[in-house]
Amino acid sequence: MCETSQEGGTQAIMKRKISMPYWCVGNPVGDPFGPGILGRISSLEVTDLLVEAHREGLIDFSAGHDCDLVPWDPSKNYDDRDEKSTTFQTLSAIKEKLDRAGIQFKMISCNLHSDPIFRNGGISNPDPRIRVLASQKVMRALRIGHFLGAEYYTYWVARDGFECQFSVPWEQTYRFLSDGLDLVSGYVQEENLGYRGGTVEYKPNEPRGESFLPTVGHSLALIARLQRPDFWGVNPEVLQHDQMTGLTSIGAVAFAAAAGKLFFIHVGNQKPNQFDNDNPPLVGMDGIKEFVSILYVLERMGWEGYIEFDNHPLRTDTAPGGENRLNVRRDYIRLAVESYRAAEAKAEELAGDENIQSAQRKIWETDPRAEEVLASGSPSAIASYQCDYQSLVRERLGIGELDLLVARRLFGQ
Ligand code: XUL
Ligand code: MN
């Protein structure tokens, strides 16, 4: 939870809490044209790197998919509860290390994207036998998350999508999705798993050609139709998922925050209209102004959520070899945190800038009487209100001047 304070009439960011997930640190950094460069590391080794990063004051929380922590064997449904199983022993060792270090495991997600059985979808798969397998895996992930103290369950849309429209049973697909999400809230309640909520992480495409939940709007509309709309929110991935189709993440997070549905955000960087770049914040061709603005807007809106990374080192910045296996990952954690904190500090500076505030006041100039009439909602009061059209229409707003001022501040001028 971000702590905010009122100082001198402007809100000051008090450094948001940061979550560094297992899949970011463990990522071997492959792409569709070449394999991972970094040697694989176990979930216990990732835990050790997280413990180190926490000791150095870089991170507060972590998160992971079930499969980032322990492998999945579909024939052993309850291995997480079997004290003699390797699964239970690994989870216990992870929990012990995290607890001792004081790292909160904040979010669990169920990996329904890696195993070939889910290649045509997880909870939306047209084959009911595969939806059963997906449901069993989701329930196991929820139990694992509960064991580690998770507060949120994240449903990333993943392979719930299509390439060929005639292969989709459209008249049933959205019910499959609702049923899958209702199972989460139902199971949490039935087993008393103590989650604060669930999040939908939308994405327009990749790994599927098209996704069933491409935008924040699709996700919030689906949530409104679920059995427990109060349980669910969203975790937009900024800048990546919105900008993959040229939308802006600023509007997405502001819309979700205004609806009280922005539980946390995933952060990274993205060149608009490309594949999911997953660069660390501020790293890459574009995105500095966009990313700083998001933090600025969320600060203005009094949003109290936390930041979770979802990115990885540039593939060019990795290298094979035993030492690199751990050192590149250490460097990545520091780079990701430092780049985020640089953006956060700039957003704070912009929020407190008197010149920016006065330029904004000019654009947002208010008239208490007009506000009052509109707030009354009374058609007759609104109809009889006299506006001075001639003077209003001649007013200059100065939005360009404001934006140049912001750009100068970004350049340190
Ligand atoms: C993929 C993505 C996922 C989710 C968690 O683009 O963002 O890693 O964040 O499943
Ligand atoms: Mn993500």
Side-chain angles (χ1 to χ4, degrees), residues 23 65 109 156 201 203 237 241 266 276 310:
W23 72 87
H65 304 95
S109 183
W156 168 45
E201 186 176 346
K203 187 173 181 181
E237 182 173 297
H241 292 180
H266 274 182
D276 187 0
D310 197 353

PDB file of all heavy atoms in Angstrom, residues 23 65 109 156 201 203 237 241 266 276 310, ligand 1:
ATOM      1  N   TRP A  23       8.718 -14.954 -11.970  1.00  0.00           N
ATOM      2  CA  TRP A  23       8.937 -15.210 -13.399  1.00  0.00           C
ATOM      3  C   TRP A  23       9.837 -14.156 -14.049  1.00  0.00           C
ATOM      4  O   TRP A  23      10.471 -14.441 -15.066  1.00  0.00           O
ATOM      5  CB  TRP A  23       7.608 -15.356 -14.149  1.00  0.00           C
ATOM      6  CG  TRP A  23       6.809 -14.091 -14.342  1.00  0.00           C
ATOM      7  CD1 TRP A  23       6.946 -13.203 -15.372  1.00  0.00           C
ATOM      8  CD2 TRP A  23       5.760 -13.590 -13.514  1.00  0.00           C
ATOM      9  NE1 TRP A  23       6.037 -12.172 -15.225  1.00  0.00           N
ATOM     10  CE2 TRP A  23       5.291 -12.385 -14.097  1.00  0.00           C
ATOM     11  CE3 TRP A  23       5.153 -14.038 -12.339  1.00  0.00           C
ATOM     12  CZ2 TRP A  23       4.262 -11.618 -13.544  1.00  0.00           C
ATOM     13  CZ3 TRP A  23       4.124 -13.277 -11.795  1.00  0.00           C
ATOM     14  CH2 TRP A  23       3.702 -12.087 -12.386  1.00  0.00           C
ATOM     15  N   HIS A  65       3.567 -17.451 -10.686  1.00  0.00           N
ATOM     16  CA  HIS A  65       2.641 -18.480 -11.143  1.00  0.00           C
ATOM     17  C   HIS A  65       2.943 -19.742 -10.334  1.00  0.00           C
ATOM     18  O   HIS A  65       4.072 -19.921  -9.863  1.00  0.00           O
ATOM     19  CB  HIS A  65       2.861 -18.822 -12.615  1.00  0.00           C
ATOM     20  CG  HIS A  65       2.779 -17.656 -13.548  1.00  0.00           C
ATOM     21  ND1 HIS A  65       3.871 -16.952 -13.958  1.00  0.00           N
ATOM     22  CD2 HIS A  65       1.719 -17.089 -14.155  1.00  0.00           C
ATOM     23  CE1 HIS A  65       3.494 -15.990 -14.800  1.00  0.00           C
ATOM     24  NE2 HIS A  65       2.187 -16.046 -14.924  1.00  0.00           N
ATOM     25  N   SER A 109      -0.683 -16.520  -9.601  1.00  0.00           N
ATOM     26  CA  SER A 109      -1.399 -16.651 -10.862  1.00  0.00           C
ATOM     27  C   SER A 109      -1.273 -18.101 -11.292  1.00  0.00           C
ATOM     28  O   SER A 109      -0.284 -18.761 -10.961  1.00  0.00           O
ATOM     29  CB  SER A 109      -0.759 -15.724 -11.895  1.00  0.00           C
ATOM     30  OG  SER A 109      -1.465 -15.762 -13.096  1.00  0.00           O
ATOM     31  N   TRP A 156      -4.538 -13.911 -15.850  1.00  0.00           N
ATOM     32  CA  TRP A 156      -4.071 -13.322 -17.113  1.00  0.00           C
ATOM     33  C   TRP A 156      -4.739 -14.095 -18.241  1.00  0.00           C
ATOM     34  O   TRP A 156      -4.788 -15.323 -18.208  1.00  0.00           O
ATOM     35  CB  TRP A 156      -2.537 -13.417 -17.214  1.00  0.00           C
ATOM     36  CG  TRP A 156      -2.026 -13.099 -18.580  1.00  0.00           C
ATOM     37  CD1 TRP A 156      -2.406 -12.049 -19.379  1.00  0.00           C
ATOM     38  CD2 TRP A 156      -1.079 -13.854 -19.348  1.00  0.00           C
ATOM     39  NE1 TRP A 156      -1.748 -12.095 -20.577  1.00  0.00           N
ATOM     40  CE2 TRP A 156      -0.918 -13.192 -20.574  1.00  0.00           C
ATOM     41  CE3 TRP A 156      -0.330 -15.014 -19.096  1.00  0.00           C
ATOM     42  CZ2 TRP A 156      -0.063 -13.657 -21.572  1.00  0.00           C
ATOM     43  CZ3 TRP A 156       0.531 -15.471 -20.080  1.00  0.00           C
ATOM     44  CH2 TRP A 156       0.657 -14.793 -21.295  1.00  0.00           C
ATOM     45  N   GLU A 201      -6.066  -9.641 -15.851  1.00  0.00           N
ATOM     46  CA  GLU A 201      -4.993  -8.961 -16.591  1.00  0.00           C
ATOM     47  C   GLU A 201      -5.247  -9.167 -18.074  1.00  0.00           C
ATOM     48  O   GLU A 201      -4.975 -10.224 -18.642  1.00  0.00           O
ATOM     49  CB  GLU A 201      -3.614  -9.506 -16.188  1.00  0.00           C
ATOM     50  CG  GLU A 201      -2.502  -8.715 -16.845  1.00  0.00           C
ATOM     51  CD  GLU A 201      -1.107  -9.150 -16.411  1.00  0.00           C
ATOM     52  OE1 GLU A 201      -0.972  -9.882 -15.400  1.00  0.00           O
ATOM     53  OE2 GLU A 201      -0.149  -8.762 -17.098  1.00  0.00           O
ATOM     54  N   LYS A 203      -5.028  -8.444 -22.229  1.00  0.00           N
ATOM     55  CA  LYS A 203      -3.934  -8.281 -23.201  1.00  0.00           C
ATOM     56  C   LYS A 203      -4.548  -8.458 -24.579  1.00  0.00           C
ATOM     57  O   LYS A 203      -5.377  -9.354 -24.759  1.00  0.00           O
ATOM     58  CB  LYS A 203      -2.859  -9.346 -22.928  1.00  0.00           C
ATOM     59  CG  LYS A 203      -1.601  -9.188 -23.760  1.00  0.00           C
ATOM     60  CD  LYS A 203      -0.512 -10.173 -23.308  1.00  0.00           C
ATOM     61  CE  LYS A 203       0.748  -9.980 -24.132  1.00  0.00           C
ATOM     62  NZ  LYS A 203       1.820 -10.902 -23.757  1.00  0.00           N
ATOM     63  N   GLU A 237      -1.200  -3.901 -17.474  1.00  0.00           N
ATOM     64  CA  GLU A 237       0.263  -3.961 -17.582  1.00  0.00           C
ATOM     65  C   GLU A 237       0.699  -2.770 -18.422  1.00  0.00           C
ATOM     66  O   GLU A 237       0.437  -2.708 -19.626  1.00  0.00           O
ATOM     67  CB  GLU A 237       0.724  -5.266 -18.224  1.00  0.00           C
ATOM     68  CG  GLU A 237       2.249  -5.325 -18.267  1.00  0.00           C
ATOM     69  CD  GLU A 237       2.787  -6.658 -18.733  1.00  0.00           C
ATOM     70  OE1 GLU A 237       2.560  -7.676 -18.054  1.00  0.00           O
ATOM     71  OE2 GLU A 237       3.448  -6.672 -19.796  1.00  0.00           O
ATOM     72  N   HIS A 241       0.691  -3.887 -22.316  1.00  0.00           N
ATOM     73  CA  HIS A 241      -0.480  -4.512 -22.919  1.00  0.00           C
ATOM     74  C   HIS A 241      -1.378  -3.522 -23.668  1.00  0.00           C
ATOM     75  O   HIS A 241      -1.934  -3.865 -24.708  1.00  0.00           O
ATOM     76  CB  HIS A 241      -1.272  -5.275 -21.860  1.00  0.00           C
ATOM     77  CG  HIS A 241      -0.543  -6.487 -21.341  1.00  0.00           C
ATOM     78  ND1 HIS A 241      -1.052  -7.332 -20.395  1.00  0.00           N
ATOM     79  CD2 HIS A 241       0.689  -6.997 -21.638  1.00  0.00           C
ATOM     80  CE1 HIS A 241      -0.182  -8.301 -20.140  1.00  0.00           C
ATOM     81  NE2 HIS A 241       0.890  -8.108 -20.887  1.00  0.00           N
ATOM     82  N   HIS A 266       1.061  -3.792 -13.288  1.00  0.00           N
ATOM     83  CA  HIS A 266       2.310  -4.374 -13.775  1.00  0.00           C
ATOM     84  C   HIS A 266       3.040  -3.294 -14.542  1.00  0.00           C
ATOM     85  O   HIS A 266       2.410  -2.553 -15.302  1.00  0.00           O
ATOM     86  CB  HIS A 266       2.021  -5.567 -14.699  1.00  0.00           C
ATOM     87  CG  HIS A 266       1.854  -6.834 -13.933  1.00  0.00           C
ATOM     88  ND1 HIS A 266       1.637  -8.048 -14.510  1.00  0.00           N
ATOM     89  CD2 HIS A 266       1.893  -7.056 -12.592  1.00  0.00           C
ATOM     90  CE1 HIS A 266       1.558  -8.978 -13.568  1.00  0.00           C
ATOM     91  NE2 HIS A 266       1.710  -8.399 -12.400  1.00  0.00           N
ATOM     92  N   ASP A 276       4.851  -7.729 -27.247  1.00  0.00           N
ATOM     93  CA  ASP A 276       5.004  -7.424 -25.824  1.00  0.00           C
ATOM     94  C   ASP A 276       6.500  -7.261 -25.496  1.00  0.00           C
ATOM     95  O   ASP A 276       7.193  -8.238 -25.251  1.00  0.00           O
ATOM     96  CB  ASP A 276       4.393  -8.591 -25.025  1.00  0.00           C
ATOM     97  CG  ASP A 276       4.324  -8.324 -23.545  1.00  0.00           C
ATOM     98  OD1 ASP A 276       4.743  -7.250 -23.099  1.00  0.00           O
ATOM     99  OD2 ASP A 276       3.838  -9.223 -22.817  1.00  0.00           O
ATOM    100  N   ASP A 310       6.713  -6.394 -14.407  1.00  0.00           N
ATOM    101  CA  ASP A 310       6.550  -7.503 -15.342  1.00  0.00           C
ATOM    102  C   ASP A 310       7.402  -7.189 -16.568  1.00  0.00           C
ATOM    103  O   ASP A 310       6.923  -6.619 -17.553  1.00  0.00           O
ATOM    104  CB  ASP A 310       5.091  -7.764 -15.717  1.00  0.00           C
ATOM    105  CG  ASP A 310       4.954  -9.152 -16.330  1.00  0.00           C
ATOM    106  OD1 ASP A 310       6.005  -9.787 -16.554  1.00  0.00           O
ATOM    107  OD2 ASP A 310       3.822  -9.607 -16.574  1.00  0.00           O
TER     108      ASP A 310
HETATM  109  C1  XUL B   1       2.208 -11.839 -19.974  1.00  0.00           C
HETATM  110  C2  XUL B   1       1.920 -11.392 -18.609  1.00  0.00           C
HETATM  111  C3  XUL B   1       1.835 -12.457 -17.578  1.00  0.00           C
HETATM  112  C4  XUL B   1       1.013 -12.091 -16.395  1.00  0.00           C
HETATM  113  C5  XUL B   1       0.942 -13.128 -15.319  1.00  0.00           C
HETATM  114  O1  XUL B   1       2.185 -10.817 -20.903  1.00  0.00           O
HETATM  115  O2  XUL B   1       1.809 -10.219 -18.372  1.00  0.00           O
HETATM  116  O3  XUL B   1       3.118 -12.812 -17.203  1.00  0.00           O
HETATM  117  O4  XUL B   1       1.458 -10.912 -15.808  1.00  0.00           O
HETATM  118  O5  XUL B   1       0.429 -14.313 -15.784  1.00  0.00           O
END
